[in-house]
Amino acid sequence: MPFQSESFLKKAEESVAAIETASRAEVVVVVAGRSGSYADVDLLWGILAGLTTLGVVLHSPWNFRPDLVLPEVVLFGILAWMASRRLDPLRRALTSRRRRCAQVEAAARQAFMEEGVSATRERTGVLVYVSLLEREVLLQPDLGLDGLVPRAVWNRFRHALRGCRGLKGLEERFFRGMADLAEHLPHHAPAGARNPDEIPNTPRLRL
């Protein structure tokens, strides 16, 4: 599966090392299966499926056993709830992009703190957060690095990472973004005489 294979982990670690060797940045890659629980969406979908089943039973030209109506309604509601929990395409179809982006931003802020991105000596950490269900890649730099790189450059990075379709496209977009960081960060935040590797380069998987 993309983002879990040995080839991805190795290539991602090499990409992080390339960025850190040429710049002051300390890159932390986090790959999350999803950024929100969407439990309310699953529940709503189950309720709607149950009500739809009830409507079909009540208005159908066929006869249904009265004692089986309630079990059928509950059964179809549970099946729809389970489908929503298990099928990422269905969850994306049932949620707005605005909500998904908000969930990714909130989860990235939490990961930023949990992974110690702000713990570097010069505050030059940058989180590259990948969320699979939402098909989003988000960059979040720490204060020291953010102050060295112009806002327009960060915006260009972020814009280039948006609009992914499918996990393969998301992986391609991720590595393209890493290549952009490796190309441009050294111009704005070049490595100094002392450039210690303060955070391990291995991607963190939250799947």
Side-chain angles (χ1 to χ4, degrees):
M1 180 178 178
F3 297 97
Q4 297 185 57
S5 66
E6 289 295 328
S7 60
F8 166 79
L9 296 174
K10 181 179 179 181
K11 186 177 178 181
E13 190 168 347
E14 291 172 349
S15 298
V16 171
I19 296 169
E20 295 184 350
T21 299
S23 72
R24 298 185 198 176
E26 283 290 329
V27 182
V28 177
V29 174
V30 173
V31 180
R34 56 184 170 85
S35 294
S37 69
Y38 305 104
D40 58 319
V41 175
D42 302 333
L43 180 59
L44 179 61
W45 183 242
I47 292 173
L48 289 176
L51 291 176
T52 300
T53 302
L54 179 60
V56 170
V57 170
L58 293 178
H59 297 92
S60 173
W62 298 289
N63 294 323
F64 292 87
R65 288 177 51 183
D67 59 319
L68 294 180
V69 171
L70 181 59
E72 288 171 347
V73 169
V74 173
L75 175 62
F76 279 98
I78 291 175
L79 290 176
W81 171 76
M82 292 176 62
S84 181
R85 283 174 54 87
R86 292 176 177 272
L87 299 176
D88 288 353
L90 180 57
R91 271 182 167 171
R92 284 193 297 275
L94 295 173
T95 54
S96 67
R97 182 168 186 189
R98 181 177 181 180
R99 175 176 179 180
R100 294 194 301 272
C101 288
Q103 295 280 182
V104 171
E105 291 173 1
R109 287 194 296 269
Q110 183 175 352
F112 186 91
M113 300 304 298
E114 292 175 350
E115 299 296 343
V117 183
S118 62
T120 63
R121 182 184 55 184
E122 296 182 341
R123 301 292 299 273
T124 54
V126 57
L127 173 70
V128 183
Y129 181 85
V130 184
S131 192
L132 304 187
L133 184 150
E134 291 83 0
R135 301 289 195 266
E136 293 288 343
V137 183
L138 187 143
L139 294 179
Q140 187 167 335
D142 200 4
L143 297 175
L145 190 62
D146 191 35
L148 295 172
V149 180
R151 181 62 54 189
V153 176
W154 284 123
N155 289 340
R156 187 168 72 247
F157 287 155
R158 292 182 176 116
H159 179 74
L161 293 171
R162 304 302 294 274
C164 304
R165 290 187 177 182
L167 291 180
K168 184 176 180 180
L170 186 66
E171 185 174 353
E172 292 173 354
R173 191 66 58 91
F174 165 77
F175 282 116
R176 196 179 310 154
M178 296 293 281
D180 287 342
L181 290 175
E183 179 181 355
H184 295 288
L185 279 184
H187 297 298
H188 303 285
R194 293 187 59 197
N195 190 28
D197 189 0
E198 300 179 68
I199 303 176
N201 298 340
T202 306
R204 283 74 161 162
L205 301 181
R206 301 183 173 194
L207 304 173

